[in-house]
C-alpha cells in the first residue's frame, strides 16, 4: 500500500495555541460552498431533512459574488490565513462554481492552503479537472461503505460504487500537487471489508484511514440515529473531556448564505456571530459576540452554554487542549480584548439566528 495510514487532519506538529492566543489573524476559515447535500446520511444532521427544516436555515449554493467578498475581506488581516476549508454542512461539488472559487481564493494571496471534503458522487474527471487546475491543495474523500447496499442503507443514495472507484483513481493519477486523502467510518464496514477498503484505495491516495463515528454535532445524537454505540474517539484515541473549546480561538465558519458561525459544527445555526453580507470578516472575527463566547469558555462556563455544553467534539475529536493554560490565557485575553459583561454569547440564549442576524 502506497498511502500513509494517517488521519485527514495533521495531529503532529501543531502550533501550541497557548503561545499565540489571542490571534489577530485566524488560522482557519471554513466556507460552505453549498449547505445542502445529495446524501441523507443517518449519521449526519444534514441528512435529516426534517431537522434541517426546523432550523429554517438556507439550503442551497453560495453565490459566487458573496464568496469573492469573503476572500477580499481576508486581505484586511495582518497576514494570510493558514487554511481555507471549502466545506461545512453540505456537499461542496453541488456548487457549480466550485472550481472558480478555488481559483479566486488561490489568486488572492490571502490564503496559504485550500482543502475540501466531498462524498465523491460528483468527482468526475470533468468536474475535477478544473478544480485541480485551479490549484486546490488537498481533497478529502469520504467513503460511506464498500458496497451499493451499504450506501443505500446509510446514505439513502443509489451509488455507483465502481464508477466512484474509477474516479478516485483518476484523481490520484492526475492530482499534480494536490494531496488526496480517503477515509471511511469503521462502523460501516465488516472486518473483511476493512481489508477490501485498503486494497481498493490504498494505492490510489496519499493518506488513508479508518475513522470512528463521533458525537461531534451538538444537539444531534448519532447513537440514537444510527444505533451504533460509540466508545472511542474519531481517530481511535481515548475519549477525554475539556472545558475550553480551542476552535473558537483559531477559526470560524461562513455558512452558504453569509451568516457566520463561531463553530464549524453549528448545523442548527445557534452560534451565529455575524453576517458577512453586512460586515467584514475582520470585524466579525474581533466582534464582541465572538469574544463573549471565548470569554465564557476561558472562565470555565462552557457548560452553561445551551449548545457548547453538549458538544461531543470536545470529548471525541479534539486535537488541541488548552485547559491547563486557561488561567494564563484568561488574564492575557482580558488585557487584549474588551467584552461587555452583559452580552449574551451565542448559544447562551433562546434567540434564533434570524433575530441575531437582523440586529
Amino acid at each position: 500500500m502506497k498511502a500513509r495510514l494517517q488521519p485527514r487532519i495533521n495531529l503532529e506538529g501543531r502550533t501550541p495555541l497557548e503561545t499565540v492566543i489571542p490571534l489577530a489573524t485566524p488560522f482557519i476559515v471554513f466556507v460552505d460552498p453549498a449547505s445542502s447535500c445529495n446524501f441523507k446520511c443517518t449519521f449526519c444532521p444534514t441528512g435529516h431533512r426534517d431537522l434541517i427544516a426546523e432550523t429554517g436555515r438556507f439550503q442551497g449554493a453560495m453565490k459566487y459574488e458573496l464568496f469573492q467578498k469573503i476572500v477580499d475581506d481576508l486581505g484586511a488581516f495582518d497576514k494570510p490565513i493558514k487554511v481555507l476549508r471549502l466545506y461545512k454542512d453540505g456537499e461542496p461539488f453541488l456548487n457549480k462554481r466550485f472550481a472558480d472559487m478555488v481559483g479566486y481564493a488561490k489568486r488572492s494571496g490571502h490564503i496559504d492552503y485550500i482543502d475540501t471534503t466531498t462524498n465523491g458522487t460528483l468527482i468526475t474527471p470533468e468536474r475535477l479537472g478544473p478544480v485541480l487546475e485551479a490549484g486546490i491543495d488537498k481533497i478529502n474523500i469520504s467513503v460511506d461503505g464498500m458496497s451499493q447496499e451499504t450506501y443505500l442503507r446509510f446514505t439513502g443514495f443509489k451509488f455507483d460504487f465502481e464508477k466512484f472507484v474509477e474516479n478516485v483513481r483518476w484523481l490520484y493519477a492526475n492530482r499534480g500537487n494536490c494531496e488526496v486523502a480517503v477515509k471511511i467510518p469503521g462502523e460501516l464496514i465488516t472486518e473483511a471489508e476493512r481489508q477490501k477498503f485498503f486494497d481498493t484505495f490504498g494505492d490510489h491516495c496519499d493518506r488513508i484511514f479508518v475513522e470512528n463515528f463521533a458525537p461531534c454535532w451538538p444537539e444531534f445524537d448519532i447513537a440514537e440515529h444510527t444505533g451504533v454505540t460509540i466508545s472511542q474517539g474519531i481517530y481511535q484515541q481515548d475519549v477525554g473531556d475539556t472545558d475550553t473549546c480551542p476552535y473558537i480561538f483559531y477559526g470560524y465558519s461562513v455558512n452558504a448564505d453569509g451568516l457566520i458561525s463561531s463553530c464549524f459544527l453549528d448545523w442548527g445555526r445557534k452560534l451565529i456571530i455575524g453576517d458577512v453580507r453586512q460586515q467584514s470578516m475582520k470585524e466579525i472575527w474581533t466582534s464582541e459576540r465572538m469574544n463573549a463566547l471565548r470569554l465564557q469558555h476561558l472562565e470555565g462556563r462552557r457548560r452553561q452554554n445551551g449548545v457548547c455544553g453538549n458538544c461531543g467534539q470536545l470529548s471525541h475529536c479534539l486535537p488541541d487542549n488548552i485547559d491547563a493554560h486557561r488561567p494564563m490565557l484568561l488574564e492575557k485575553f482580558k488585557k487584549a480584548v474588551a467584552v461587555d459583561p452583559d452580552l449574551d454569547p451565542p448559544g447562551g440564549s433562546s434567540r434564533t439566528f434570524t433575530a441575531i442576524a437582523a440586529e
Side-chain angles (χ1 to χ4, degrees):
M1 185 173 74
K2 295 179 181 178
R4 305 184 305 276
L5 189 62
Q6 184 179 1
R8 56 197 153 110
I9 69 166
N10 297 320
L11 299 178
E12 306 295 332
R14 300 178 68 85
T15 300
L17 293 177
E18 66 272 13
T19 66
V20 295
I21 293 174
L23 284 166
T25 302
F27 282 168
I28 297 174
V29 175
F30 285 79
V31 175
D32 203 10
S35 59
S36 54
C37 187
N38 52 347
F39 277 10
K40 296 180 180 179
C41 297
T42 58
F43 48 85
C44 173
T46 302
H48 292 260
R49 304 297 193 255
D50 53 340
L51 295 179
I52 297 305
E54 290 174 8
T55 69
R57 81 182 198 195
F58 169 75
Q59 287 289 92
M62 175 177 282
K63 294 181 179 179
Y64 183 64
E65 294 73 22
L66 175 59
F67 180 78
Q68 289 178 305
K69 197 265 184 185
I70 293 164
V71 172
D72 292 345
D73 277 4
L74 296 178
F77 287 110
D78 297 339
K79 52 188 176 182
I81 65 167
K82 292 181 180 292
V83 183
L84 174 65
R85 299 233 138 102
L86 288 177
Y87 64 93
K88 182 177 178 285
D89 295 322
E91 168 51 44
F93 280 84
L94 286 176
N95 192 312
K96 295 181 179 179
R97 301 205 66 178
F98 185 71
D100 294 330
M101 296 168 103
V102 173
Y104 190 83
K106 268 292 181 181
R107 293 190 300 270
S108 71
H110 306 328
I111 296 149
D112 289 337
Y113 188 92
I114 302 173
D115 66 17
T116 192
T117 296
T118 173
N119 63 30
T121 51
L122 301 171
I123 58 169
T124 62
E126 294 75 22
R127 294 293 300 275
L128 280 172
V131 175
L132 294 171
E133 186 177 348
I136 196 164
D137 294 288
K138 184 181 178 187
I139 298 177
N140 302 303
I141 301 172
S142 298
V143 181
D144 295 315
M146 291 302 296
S147 69
Q148 291 181 343
E149 292 74 22
T150 302
Y151 265 89
L152 190 60
R153 177 184 173 192
F154 284 96
T155 73
F157 192 87
K158 191 174 182 180
F159 195 64
D160 188 341
F161 187 77
E162 296 305 320
K163 187 63 177 178
F164 166 65
V165 173
E166 286 182 21
N167 288 337
V168 172
R169 293 181 177 183
W170 184 94
L171 167 60
Y172 185 69
N174 295 275
R175 69 192 186 285
N177 295 323
C178 174
E179 183 180 13
V180 178
V182 177
K183 53 94 172 178
I184 192 170
E187 292 85 354
L188 299 185
I189 50 176
T190 64
E191 195 58 38
E193 287 177 325
R194 180 181 292 252
Q195 187 57 52
K196 181 182 177 183
F197 168 69
F198 289 121
D199 291 342
T200 302
F201 298 104
D203 288 334
H204 305 283
C205 59
D206 298 294
R207 63 172 85 181
I208 192 167
F209 203 74
V210 177
E211 296 184 352
N212 293 320
F213 280 159
C216 50
W217 289 284
E219 303 182 310
F220 179 79
D221 191 331
I222 288 186
E224 177 184 338
H225 288 289
T226 64
V228 173
T229 300
I230 298 173
S231 59
Q232 279 189 308
I234 191 171
Y235 305 118
Q236 302 173 13
Q237 79 277 29
D238 292 336
V239 175
D241 204 3
T242 180
D243 285 328
T244 318
C245 175
Y247 299 103
I248 57 178
F249 293 94
Y250 67 79
Y252 56 164
S253 305
V254 189
N255 297 301
D257 58 354
L259 290 173
I260 294 190
S261 295
S262 60
C263 176
F264 64 100
L265 297 168
D266 183 28
W267 66 275
R269 303 300 188 268
K270 293 183 178 180
L271 296 173
I272 298 299
I273 53 172
D275 187 338
V276 75
R277 294 167 296 187
Q278 303 171 15
Q279 302 163 275
S280 73
M281 291 292 289
K282 186 173 183 179
E283 179 185 357
I284 297 169
W285 175 249
T286 58
S287 67
E288 283 199 82
R289 189 171 298 282
M290 183 67 164
N291 283 331
L293 182 62
R294 292 168 177 147
L295 182 63
Q296 183 183 54
H297 280 246
L298 287 177
E299 290 181 338
R301 297 184 290 112
R302 192 257 295 181
R303 297 183 191 282
Q304 296 177 13
N305 189 296
V307 179
C308 300
N310 184 34
C311 179
Q313 182 77 11
L314 301 186
S315 55
H316 289 68
C317 313
L318 195 67
D320 306 291
N321 192 328
I322 57 175
D323 276 359
H325 308 281
R326 196 169 64 210
M328 176 271 292
L329 290 173
L330 176 60
E331 182 179 356
K332 187 177 177 182
F333 186 78
K334 285 184 173 180
K335 288 180 180 179
V337 176
V339 181
D340 182 351
D342 297 323
L343 183 64
D344 194 27
S349 75
S350 59
R351 289 183 298 170
T352 64
F353 73 87
T354 49
I356 293 173
E359 291 179 357

